[in-house]
Amino acid sequence: MAKLVYFFGGGKAEGDAKMKELLGGKGANLAEMTNIGLPVPAGFTITTEVCTHYYDNNLQYPADLKAQIEEALAKTEAVMGAKFGDTENPLLVSCRSGARVSMPGMMDTVLNIGLNEATLQGLIKKTGNERFAWDSYRRFVQMFGDVVLGLKPQTKQEIDPFEHIMDELKHERKVENDSDLTVADLKELVVRFKKAVKDRTGKDFPEDAREQLYGAIGSVFDSWNNDRAVVYRRQYGYPASWGTAANICSMVFGNMGDDCATGVAFTRDPATGEKEFYGEYLINAQGEDVVAGIRTPKKIAELKKEMPEVYAQLDQIRGILEKHYRDVQDIEFTVQQGKLWMLQTRNGKRTGFAAVHFAVDMVDEGLITQNEAISVGRIPPDDLNQLLQPIFDPESKRKIIAEGKLLAKGINAGPGAATGVIKFFADDAESYVAGFKADAHGNRSPESRVILVRRETSPEDIRGMQAADGILTAFGGASSHAALVSRQMGKVCVVGCSALQIDYTARTVTVGSTVLKEGDFISIDGFTGEVMAGQAATRPSEVVSVLIDKTMKPSESTTYQKFARMMEWADSVRKLKIRTNADKPEQAEAAVAFGAEGIGLCRTEHMFFDHIVPMREMILAGSVADRKKALEKLLPFQRGDFEGLFRAMKGKPVTIRTLDPPLHEFLPHDAKGQAEMAAQMGVSVEVIEERVKALHEFNPMLGFRGCRLGIVYPEITEMQARAILEAAVNVKKEGIDVEPEIMIPLVGFLPELKSQAKLVHETAKKVFEEAGVTVPYQVGTMIELPRACIAAGDIAKEAQFFSFGTNDLTQTGLGMSRDDYGSFIRSYIEGDIVPKDPFQVIDFDGIGGLMKIGVERGRAQRTDIKIGICGEHGGEPDSVKFCHRIGLNYVSCSPFRVPIARLAAAQAALENK
Amino acid sequence: MAKLVYFFGGGKAEGDAKMKELLGGKGANLAEMTNIGLPVPAGFTITTEVCTHYYDNNLQYPADLKAQIEEALAKTEAVMGAKFGDTENPLLVSCRSGARVSMPGMMDTVLNIGLNEATLQGLIKKTGNERFAWDSYRRFVQMFGDVVLGLKPQTKQEIDPFEHIMDELKHERKVENDSDLTVADLKELVVRFKKAVKDRTGKDFPEDAREQLYGAIGSVFDSWNNDRAVVYRRQYGYPASWGTAANICSMVFGNMGDDCATGVAFTRDPATGEKEFYGEYLINAQGEDVVAGIRTPKKIAELKKEMPEVYAQLDQIRGILEKHYRDVQDIEFTVQQGKLWMLQTRNGKRTGFAAVHFAVDMVDEGLITQNEAISVGRIPPDDLNQLLQPIFDPESKRKIIAEGKLLAKGINAGPGAATGVIKFFADDAESYVAGFKADAHGNRSPESRVILVRRETSPEDIRGMQAADGILTAFGGASSHAALVSRQMGKVCVVGCSALQIDYTARTVTVGSTVLKEGDFISIDGFTGEVMAGQAATRPSEVVSVLIDKTMKPSESTTYQKFARMMEWADSVRKLKIRTNADKPEQAEAAVAFGAEGIGLCRTEHMFFDHIVPMREMILAGSVADRKKALEKLLPFQRGDFEGLFRAMKGKPVTIRTLDPPLHEFLPHDAKGQAEMAAQMGVSVEVIEERVKALHEFNPMLGFRGCRLGIVYPEITEMQARAILEAAVNVKKEGIDVEPEIMIPLVGFLPELKSQAKLVHETAKKVFEEAGVTVPYQVGTMIELPRACIAAGDIAKEAQFFSFGTNDLTQTGLGMSRDDYGSFIRSYIEGDIVPKDPFQVIDFDGIGGLMKIGVERGRAQRTDIKIGICGEHGGEPDSVKFCHRIGLNYVSCSPFRVPIARLAAAQAALENK
């Protein structure tokens, strides 16, 4: 006979904290607290297995459940010295949900179970407090009616039926507050509540305590599959198969008088991380009152004055809990007639700031080891974002939202907070920003900041994006061009905000009835995806101030110091190297400051965009000779750019990808742009139109790009190889080490790579002869096509390194365009078709399977081949861990994600020891 | 010491016919003929290994070569009773290239080697024919100067330098023909030729016989890498590493007088396949004269009268050779002073018609077995096309080309011959053709036939393509929409004919200076890709007349009878089942007549296009209810279509794919079409424009299509499942067996298939209950995404069958859009980056590697899973063989490729026994 019910009480529990999967977090911790001698009201937990049995068997309970509940209930009665349903000395219980992870507010709870007309009299007698008893009773009828009997509003307009009755009675009695109602009024309320139940359900309100109890248990299990819970699980990727436990706890009351209280607290400050008891409480109140916000709770420190003994006990328990759990706890307590009861403890949710402080402080306190400090449970790598990005001042943001200026929510694609004036076109943004100057301290005025608001962005918008503080798009997902470039630039970015209606002609963006014009202020929160009208104040990150802006000294920021120590611990255990995706010296320098050990991907596209005229001459060229002439003009610019990168990286490896995007991206697609280009180049518009038309592709993602360019136009590869190697030679002559790695994109066939590598080697030979200096260099390839994974053994014959381009590998492997998948991905995630957005987290089984094949076959051919990843996934913690597991040598990510990758890599090493 | 030189002569040879790889085809067969006692002038073969050594070692010969040549030369001299370079009794030799496969005319040959001022005198003495000797000498100087010394025209405009001298002399002598020149003139010619050599090369013409010989050998090896040879090898996929042999043969002369002759012949008619000695000869001529066409050769039958003994000997040799080689031979012979010499034999190239006749006849003659008859060497499967498609009457085509009307050459995408009037728009084609009626015998007038000429085609053009006799496009490759649909429809099709400049506005197509207008006649040859202005006469295929048109009885066509017997032999050995891709009953019936054993792919797209109004209503629908209403209108049409298919297939399995293309394909993209649609649907044009805009995709290939449609709009899948299963039930009630297989496209994740399969099963349950009849059915999936191959084990949990969609698998696996790859694929094929066009022949190592993984993982999960292929590759012989090797159960191809697939499958079974 399976054990379905776990009792706790009287200093002993059948469960413990390790049994979270079976008992849920709440149940496991109630048991644990009981075991370590804390004052927990007795009760029992019905396991999550009962919940899964219930769903697997047509909503039927296991046969044995009732007997086990009765047994546990009897033990509870014995410990609490009261009897469930007894008219003299009634035991009241609550029934609370509790899954293995906290899902705050998603599922149901019923309090005061066991109250009826008869036990009510016992409660009055026992407590001597008629008003309390009747108030408890009316609350119970209301809660049970809502949760168990389903008396909820039927439409959004309708108000809660019980609230409605309450309002009517207050109106009749001409009183304002609930507390102004007399005992007689409360009795009348109960009568009316019960009548409403009868009217709506056709049945009498249940008087039988056991009927109430089983009804409540059923509701808790049912609530595992309510809409909110389902959505919440989906958001966090929790499977429905986990189920919830149901916790039956003896009721204790914080609302029986002024020697009663109820409160919630954190053992340390979960926002700042400071080591300070943090929480709030209310005298003479029920737990829900603290959260409801009708009365303003007091800070926990005041309890010391109001109930010094209780406070002392609580403070002691705070210490016990932190020592016992070795982590900051989020607790609930109730004081009933001077006696403290612990109702819940769990690891406290925390900001990224607090997480770092907690972890480092607890190492210093000897509570945890360094390896524990950097575990994912302590610091989810993504939370480090908060230490790097500017954030909105919470007060300012709250105010702006309170004013109804929260417009919409998009996909949070580039973390941080940005406020600025709206610009719709990249060149407008660029010229607008150029019209302002920073003051002597480098500060810029709010008016000088731009949010670039577009339907979507394209490579033509790069300079405007660089000029803007934030980018907001109506289309595209977390891997759209806007998102990708923003993250690399460290720009705040919200994408796919489909509520925006952008009118480029009128230069307005409309959301519902709100119309914002060009020049209006807008604020976007890249952490949450929120888009707000108006200006919200931001504040800079201390870590960035120290490492990048150098406006703070390390000694001035304890956050920085703790961050730095934590990163050192991470570095000491991780196996993966961390590189960065950077095209410019300043990006490279920032990345190195964040700990990057090389450049994993330098895209050379921007170099062509920066010198668009010769680039366009090349595209228009009718002969190899003309093309070479145009390329010769580009050579010195690219060489200069590469020199800057090599200098910034000081001998660290620099992987440079040859030209990748299709040529049509470098041509203007609108009539105005084409006319301008024609004038500039001295050709007719028809010539431009014709070329644009000729370069048009049905599926540009699968078209004439990557190494295909260098195969049809070998002179492009030659020019780029020359620029890279001449730069390397020049920088080496300055006495700085260089380690260039030339990377050929979109290779699927060995001969593709061979042909390009041959060009590079021939060029290298010439350059080294001309310069009289030789530098070591490597030629490798992106692995970003399924064929490349399959043929990796073949390709490794030539490739000195592999770098997985998981963006394109995901697009091709799944047959899913990241620019187009918005039309169905929502249905996919909601329908549990895909566990996560595959452009955010590597699709381990599919794309990951291809990667594994690529690694195995590549290494079988060339044992020591260096393998990395430079797709956007390289900065996503779960993906970084996957890369560790399949044995990559490094991951490369945008500069601001380097610390995140470092931490994730360390966690991967620890988790796979 | 490696053997580098193989002697043959005097009835004994060191090599034999099996040594083609080492000796080349010519050398091996000269040896073989010598061995079987045929009169072959003595000589020797320098092996292909010498050629590869030469290229691998910086154009140096193996050290030992010279000694071996001298040894073989001595043996040759002994047998021929003459001495190389001797002034009294000189032996002359030829030096001829000869690779393991015939590469006619691609490489070099030098005749009459060993002639100089001194040996010339010996030749005169020996033959007593001064004119012959001097003519041979001037020919030698000319040929050696051209081939070995490189005196070729330097530009396209320049005429051959030797021809130029010859013309000058004839002009001076005021004669017309070469034969009018006197011996003195010939002597003068030699003087002038040698002067030209000296002027151009700065060196004297070599007088030394051995210098001549080694120079000629070098030229032959060099010619392995001349442009023509390289292009030819690329076209046929022969690797450069094979190399050529060089054959040094004693010269025999057909031009020493009227007792001399030279000729070429086939042992049977290579065009018709008839068992008749076929060839031509010239009295008193050299071999090149027969080919050059200056004198008109005589039919071989006349030799019987002119040289009865020689003819009898030749006819006897014909029989010996066929028995010995067990195949039809292509021979060259020379008669010198009444003695017959055999200069070459090889298997004769033949038309598809002849191939079938030869093979079947030789089985009947007991020369070969049935399995040999159907081997790829006897009948390349693609050659069967010629038996199925209408062809141009050769005379008519020759005439039209002679008139200079050959406009251009595109990619031969749909075999056959078509002539018709040009239409540029699909609806024009449709309405134009509808204006004509076939006569009582079903014949249609030439004016009623249309060639649809377009830049490219789209699904909107389907009806126009159906109406047209042929389709010609300027863009796209062999797997473009036009090509794909044409082959399925059995339409003649030429695509990617980039020389065409199509002006839709002016309604003209221009090639160079030729401008054709709408309504002008044009002819396209789908076998060769040739595009001709004007009308070329066509003739129908006998096999089609018997099987499809039923205008001939089997007894009236020996070609049909032999074809049918050959196909029976193929069916008796093949393991692969052959299905067809067909959407309509008439396609299905044709395919069954061709031997199809089921439908492997019924695309349902055309059913939506055929009823475009409700389809568009569905796309515009704002709610599920509206969408369902529109779908209900489509249901009866689809059901009717499926009923037709089930009836045609009479219990054979019918695989039906649910809706696959993106919805925007069903909307008009031009203003006119949108206005029409708006009027028809009673909505504003803006509504249509908006919807088209909303459905626009950057990479539609990777967008919202396939099962993604059915997941977002489950009602579409429900309607289709209902239509299929109701049709199945109805046809079953008629007493006809049905075996529907419902196929879900573009599946990558198991839950995708699960969700769609669930809809099908639920619908099936309802339909069967309603009808009171149950039919067996299966639900399976396309495997057309790399992820599907990787996750095949997972997907096989639900899938009852797999069908590889190699078109999309190639596009995604290679990251190559078949609509866009034209811009680089030529560079790829020419640069040996890819061996073959991966959209024509499966990329075995890449896409094939993914398929292998898919098969292995699918079968590991579900041992008996049925796996097929329904991509275009399913009808391509090499791909069919690959499918056999990786263990597929069936291939599915367009109806007209079914016989080809049957034969290829048989060959695969035999080749992998």
Side-chain angles (χ1 to χ4, degrees), chain A residues 12-55:
Chain A
K12 253 184 80 178
E14 294 175 338
D16 63 40
K18 289 189 293 291
M19 298 168 76
K20 284 208 177 85
E21 293 185 13
L22 188 64
L23 304 182
K26 184 191 289 276
N29 281 328
L30 286 169
E32 187 78 10
M33 284 198 291
T34 303
N35 280 332
I36 62 173
L38 301 190
V40 175
F44 53 89
T45 302
I46 305 172
T47 70
T48 56
E49 289 177 358
V50 174
C51 182
T52 50
H53 179 281
Y54 179 72
Y55 281 109

Side-chain angles (χ1 to χ4, degrees), chain B residues 46-56 221 224 242-245:
Chain B
I46 305 173
T47 69
T48 55
E49 290 177 358
V50 174
C51 182
T52 50
H53 179 282
Y54 179 71
Y55 281 109
D56 291 348
F221 287 143
W224 175 247
W242 281 357
T244 182

Side-chain angles (χ1 to χ4, degrees), chain B residues 154 232 355 428 567 622 644 681 701 704 727 740 752 832 845 878:
Chain B
Q154 301 292 304
Y232 187 89
D428 292 343
M567 292 313 296
M681 323 265 315
M701 169 63 212
F704 186 29
E752 291 177 319
D832 281 333
D845 293 337
D878 287 343

Side-chain angles (χ1 to χ4, degrees), chain A residues 456 693 696-704 707-708 711-712 749 751-752 755 785-787 790 811-817 819-820 823-824 827-828 832-834 843 845-846 849-850 853 857, chain B residues 455-456 696-704 707-708 711-712 749 751-752 755 785-787 790 811-817 819-820 823-824 827-828 832-834 843 845-846 849-850 853 857:
Chain A
E456 72 276 339
K693 213 157 121 189
H696 168 78
E697 295 187 308
F698 296 97
N699 293 291
M701 169 64 213
L702 309 176
F704 186 29
C707 68
R708 296 161 190 174
I711 286 169
V712 176
F749 298 85
E752 291 177 319
S755 87
L785 292 174
R787 193 191 199 279
I790 298 296
Q811 297 200 79
T812 49
L814 305 187
M816 222 179 254
S817 159
D819 294 315
D820 301 311
S823 50
F824 56 84
S827 296
Y828 267 52
D832 281 334
I833 306 267
V834 290
D843 159 33
D845 293 337
L850 281 168
I853 291 171
R857 296 187 179 180
Chain B
R455 293 217 182 100
E456 72 277 337
H696 169 77
E697 295 186 308
F698 296 96
N699 293 292
M701 169 63 212
L702 310 175
F704 186 29
C707 68
R708 297 161 190 175
I711 286 168
V712 176
F749 297 84
E752 291 177 319
S755 87
L785 292 174
R787 193 190 199 278
I790 299 296
Q811 296 200 80
T812 50
L814 304 187
M816 223 179 253
S817 159
D819 295 315
D820 302 311
S823 50
F824 56 86
S827 296
Y828 266 53
D832 281 333
I833 306 264
V834 290
D843 159 33
D845 293 337
L850 280 169
I853 291 171
R857 297 187 178 179

Side-chain angles (χ1 to χ4, degrees), chain B residues 637-648:
Chain B
F637 298 121
Q638 298 219 346
R639 185 176 53 219
D641 286 342
F642 293 132
E643 284 169 0
L645 274 187
F646 289 135
R647 282 191 202 105

Side-chain angles (χ1 to χ4, degrees), chain A residues 325-530:
Chain A
Y325 283 101
R326 305 165 67 245
D327 202 354
V328 171
Q329 296 296 297
D330 168 1
I331 57 173
E332 287 178 30
F333 62 90
T334 283
V335 182
Q336 178 176 321
Q337 295 171 317
K339 177 166 169 48
L340 175 67
W341 292 98
M342 297 301 295
L343 302 186
Q344 172 154 312
T345 192
R346 59 185 176 196
N347 288 346
K349 301 213 169 180
R350 61 204 70 181
T351 64
F353 298 96
V356 171
H357 280 272
F358 288 171
V360 176
D361 289 349
M362 286 190 168
V363 170
D364 290 343
E365 291 159 26
L367 273 180
I368 57 174
T369 65
Q370 288 179 6
N371 285 351
E372 283 173 311
I374 59 172
S375 68
V376 67
R378 304 275 170 176
I379 313 179
D382 268 335
D383 284 4
L384 290 185
N385 251 328
Q386 295 171 36
L387 279 75
L388 305 179
Q389 299 297 335
I391 60 169
F392 280 122
D393 180 70
E395 265 315 306
S396 176
K397 185 171 158 188
R398 199 173 301 148
K399 192 165 153 269
I400 210 166
I401 291 177
E403 287 166 1
K405 292 185 180 168
L406 176 61
L407 297 180
K409 219 171 153 181
I411 300 170
N412 48 333
T419 289
V421 300
I422 295 171
K423 291 288 166 190
F424 292 104
F425 295 95
D427 44 1
D428 292 343
E430 195 185 347
S431 57
Y432 178 84
V433 171
F436 290 89
K437 273 193 180 157
D439 69 13
H441 305 285
N443 295 324
R444 294 161 52 217
S445 68
E447 291 73 24
S448 73
R449 295 173 191 271
V450 159
I451 307 294
L452 181 63
V453 180
R454 292 198 54 78
R455 293 218 181 98
E456 72 276 339
T457 64
S458 80
E460 295 181 49
D461 299 328
I462 297 271
R463 286 161 157 275
M465 294 170 79
Q466 184 71 56
D469 269 50
I471 289 109
L472 170 62
T473 70
F475 302 113
S479 289
S480 61
H481 176 265
L484 198 141
V485 174
S486 297
R487 278 201 291 276
Q488 173 151 343
M489 291 180 171
K491 298 282 173 190
V492 180
C493 181
V494 172
V495 297
C497 189
S498 53
L500 306 183
Q501 289 187 290
I502 296 172
D503 186 333
Y504 283 140
T505 317
R507 304 210 169 194
T508 57
V509 50
T510 307
V511 186
S513 59
T514 308
V515 181
L516 296 181
K517 296 187 299 296
E518 187 156 65
D520 288 351
F521 271 101
I522 195 166
S523 299
I524 59 175
D525 189 329
F527 292 116
T528 62
E530 287 162 313

